[in-house]
Amino acid sequence: MSRRPRAASVPTTAVVSTVLSVVGVVALAGVIAFGITHLGFLRAGHRAPFVAWTLIAWAVFAGAVVALRFVPRGWTTRIVLGGAVVVGIAALVGPPNTSTDSARYAWDGIVQHAGTSPYAYTPQSNALADLRPDWLFPDKIDGTCKPLEPRMRGLGDGADGHCVAINRPDVVTIYPPMAQLWFAGVRAFVPATAQYMPFQVAGLLVSLGVTVGLVMVLRRIGRPTWWAALWAWSPLVASEAVTNSHVDVVGAALATAGVVLVAFGRPVWGGIALGAATATKLIPAIVYPPLLNRWRHWWAVPVGIGVFALLYVPYVITTGPKVLGYLPGYLSEEGYEDGSRFALVSSVVPGDAATVVVGLIVLLAALVSWRLADPARPWSAEVLMIGVTFLAVTPRYPWYALLLIPFVVLSGRWEWMALNLAIALRGVWPSAPAFRWWLLAAVLVILVVTLVRTRRDDWLRWGRRLDPRGWRSVDPRSRDRVDAG
């Protein structure tokens, strides 16, 4: 009498890892939801709880991802996608809690649907008074906006009886044309009375789309799909793409799609995506240099520039040179002109010279990433380019860091997540000295991990690629992998 073969048993480690990863992502969703519903809006006197909340969320996130690393392959993708939905829904449970930027998004969309260019008038202009919904422009309470601060502020220009949720209501919008199309598109499906939720839901959909796209690319390049959790479960993505619904998630999604398309031999479509990304938020332009290591990738550059220019045309026709909006004033206000905003460089090279040094660092990063990039897999070079730029420029707003995460996922350069954490902490604790220490700690993590994981042969190969004497002898159409990792 023959015995039935026993079904293969699942190793205990795999079962434990699966349980821990599921419990971890559910716990992460709980931490995120608790912070949104119990901490309220970020106030100057209540920053310590936000720092503690951020650190707890990142610790739970790290633990869940580590556990996911040991989950059986057949379950990994399902848990990644399911966790992305759970964390995303948790991020929807309350209004924006650290930023009021989406109030400006809503206003720009409302203005455009009324047939007016968002670059033509400031939010406090009486020319647009009839468009003001109560949730963006509430009445003062007992003649003051104090009870509504810091989410609201006073509104001038003849509207003394009102408050406003929009920051910088006395200047025109700063956002480029693709961002404006996004604002108008999201607001096209809701009435003017709809508040923050439309952009939060739209941000969640874009975030989930990026997660699915990353899973597909990881499978194509033969890497484990658990890496996608670095985006899908990231507290920074939940906070900045969903809760605060920053348009940067659209720029990051388009930039990632553009780089992937170019790397996979679709430079025209990639150029279209890259041009749209740059017209969403200008910063995605820094993803270009690593793409120029193969001759056919050059097509992405003129296509991207062309798309960027075309997106401006309708607004230039209606508004003229005002399409620059508040950008020049913003750059001056944020300290880009005098170098005061560069947390690391300005501590060594103060004054205007800091701006020059930062410019040279970014140019050097562009040159190195161009030379080291694998044309077919430029992910590590993109991490190098974006990461070094962020270390030089030191953005004080965490939503900028959304651009870096997809390339960390594709490259496996997890150590660069330390930089994202440093920038996230800067968003809830605006202390320049503390930010320098957080950045230096991130640099230490990046350097140590890079030194440990890099072999001697890699250093020699990179040295040959960076040696100017050998540049002319290398066929630019070569498919040899010279990736920075």
Side-chain angles (χ1 to χ4, degrees), residues 323-374:
V323 293
L324 286 177
Y326 184 57
L327 180 60
Y330 175 81
L331 295 176
S332 176
E333 177 185 311
E334 290 294 309
Y336 284 99
E337 291 183 352
D338 61 10
S340 60
R341 70 108 63 247
F342 307 125
L344 293 180
V345 173
S346 63
S347 63
V348 180
V349 184
D352 294 341
T355 302
V356 176
V357 171
V358 167
L360 292 175
I361 292 173
V362 173
L363 286 175
L364 180 61
L367 176 64
V368 172
S369 63
W370 165 59
R371 291 302 302 165
L372 297 185
D374 173 356

Side-chain angles (χ1 to χ4, degrees), residues 208-350:
L208 292 175
V210 172
T211 299
V212 173
L214 289 173
V215 167
M216 295 172 63
V217 176
L218 287 168
R219 284 179 169 174
R220 174 163 175 169
I221 65 179
R223 299 192 64 246
T225 57
W226 68 264
W227 281 100
L230 291 180
W231 169 275
W233 301 356
S234 170
L236 190 145
V237 174
S239 174
E240 306 309 331
V242 184
T243 304
N244 296 289
S245 49
H246 282 102
V247 72
D248 299 68
V249 70
V250 178
L254 288 169
T256 304
V259 171
V260 168
L261 287 167
V262 174
F264 288 172
R266 298 290 185 271
V268 174
W269 287 107
I272 292 173
L274 291 170
T278 310
T280 302
K281 238 6 197 337
L282 302 180
I283 192 67
I286 63 176
V287 305
Y288 272 104
L291 301 179
L292 305 179
N293 206 294
R294 190 188 298 173
W295 68 275
R296 63 181 178 142
H297 287 177
W298 281 93
W299 277 105
V301 177
V303 170
I305 294 173
V307 169
F308 178 81
L310 285 173
L311 287 169
Y312 264 102
V313 169
Y315 294 98
V316 171
I317 291 174
T318 59
T319 322
K322 289 185 179 180
V323 293
L324 286 177
Y326 184 57
L327 180 60
Y330 175 81
L331 295 176
S332 176
E333 177 185 311
E334 290 294 309
Y336 284 99
E337 291 183 352
D338 61 10
S340 60
R341 70 108 63 247
F342 307 125
L344 293 180
V345 173
S346 63
S347 63
V348 180
V349 184

Side-chain angles (χ1 to χ4, degrees), residues 45-93:
H46 298 80
R47 293 189 179 274
F50 273 89
V51 173
W53 174 55
T54 300
L55 291 173
I56 292 170
W58 276 78
V60 176
F61 162 65
V65 173
V66 170
L68 182 66
R69 169 69 177 83
F70 302 99
V71 170
R73 182 173 297 181
W75 283 93
T76 302
T77 301
R78 301 175 194 177
I79 296 176
V80 168
L81 297 178
V85 174
V86 171
V87 171
I89 291 175
L92 291 174
V93 299

Side-chain angles (χ1 to χ4, degrees), residues 102-124:
S102 58
R104 170 75 78 161
Y105 303 170
W107 176 246
D108 284 0
I110 291 169
V111 168
Q112 289 181 84
H113 284 294
T116 301
S117 169
Y119 303 104
Y121 301 99
T122 68
Q124 69 180 20

Side-chain angles (χ1 to χ4, degrees), residues 417-440:
M417 292 296 288
L419 176 56
N420 289 336
L421 175 57
I423 297 174
L425 288 172
R426 172 60 178 81
V428 295
W429 191 274
S431 165
F435 190 31
R436 290 191 186 99
W437 284 110
W438 295 331
L439 288 170
L440 291 173

